[in-house]
Amino acid sequence: MDRVSGEDEETQDGTAEVDGSSWDCLANWTQAERDYWFMGPFDGGTPGMVRRIRRILDVSQRGLAAILEVSQSVVARWETGRTSPRASVVERLLRLARLRVTVRDEDDREVGPMRADGARTHGGSRFPAHVDLRATGWWVPRRLRAMTSIEAYAWRDRSRRVGDPAVRYRLSPFWKGIERRLHGTPDDHPALYQLVAEVRFLDERREERRVPRAA
């Protein structure tokens, strides 16, 4: 059988003949990597998970490095715990191996990430993750919020037409705590369409109060 360059070859006695040019070979590790490895046995952790994914994909360090477009030495350092892959790389590794990671709290309830379609500010950035959003009406520029001018009403009508709610939140831990005791703690930030629906409901309630009661 012809030898494949860069791969280990099994000998007749069943032992593996290691290709010295491969980063899988302990002889090619740095002294720090060898020292860390011989401190074991230890919990597999991230290094063990990288190896597990490589086993699922049935690829060598060189093969995984080619898939991820990194150097083989980078994969070797992940597997010896000298460095760790970035979160985005971990996500890609899990997708490649068709694995799914779940996060659970102390009560063993699954905890998911915050929604991707949560409402955003007018500048396009996300609201602070630790605050609770509430819709208070239709958006008008700050300079007109305390006014009852024609311009203020025009802005309010425009926001109603395009579905642009005024979003408020408390930064004070004291007041935020009171609101949470009264209304509960929201699980996530609402999406824009949910805030729009909330303001439209408030408009309907106001209209109902304006209708005179039948004699």
Side-chain angles (χ1 to χ4, degrees), residues 13-28:
D13 61 2
T15 61
E17 181 182 10
V18 179
D19 179 4
S21 66
S22 171
W23 268 92
D24 292 85
C25 178
L26 186 65
N28 285 314

Side-chain angles (χ1 to χ4, degrees), residues 29-165:
W29 292 1
T30 66
Q31 185 60 46
E33 289 169 342
R34 287 196 294 270
D35 291 343
Y36 181 84
W37 182 259
F38 286 122
M39 286 193 304
F42 49 82
D43 183 6
T46 300
M49 186 55 66
V50 174
R51 287 177 56 80
R52 171 63 63 188
I53 290 172
R54 190 157 62 81
R55 182 171 179 81
I56 292 173
L57 298 177
D58 194 21
V59 294
S60 64
Q61 287 185 346
R62 182 177 300 164
L64 183 60
I67 293 173
L68 299 176
E69 298 181 341
V70 298
S71 67
Q72 191 172 355
S73 62
V74 169
V75 177
R77 284 174 170 78
W78 292 344
E79 293 191 3
T80 55
R82 299 300 299 167
T83 61
S84 295
R86 297 190 305 272
S88 59
V89 176
V90 172
E91 290 179 353
R92 186 178 177 193
L93 286 169
L94 294 173
R95 286 197 301 270
L96 287 170
R98 298 183 179 179
L99 298 176
R100 178 174 178 266
V101 173
T102 59
V103 178
R104 297 185 176 274
D105 62 16
E106 58 184 7
D107 296 321
D108 201 34
R109 293 174 300 198
E110 186 172 341
V111 178
M114 291 188 70
R115 63 192 303 163
D117 63 343
R120 294 177 178 250
T121 67
H122 278 91
S125 61
R126 298 187 186 277
F127 287 97
H130 65 291
V131 302
D132 304 334
L133 306 183
R134 57 192 176 93
T136 59
W138 298 111
W139 184 85
V140 296
R142 182 181 297 274
R143 63 184 175 83
L144 299 174
R145 288 174 189 171
M147 302 177 63
T148 57
S149 63
I150 294 177
E151 185 180 6
Y153 281 113
W155 267 104
R156 194 169 290 112
D157 289 341
R158 174 192 174 277
S159 295
R160 181 185 295 110
R161 187 171 60 255
V162 301
D164 188 6

Side-chain angles (χ1 to χ4, degrees), residues 168-189:
R168 303 285 186 270
Y169 56 85
R170 303 269 191 188
L171 286 175
S172 166
F174 174 77
W175 291 110
K176 186 169 65 174
I178 289 178
E179 287 191 348
R180 287 183 173 183
R181 283 194 292 271
L182 291 173
H183 308 295
T185 302
D187 180 64
D188 207 333
H189 286 174

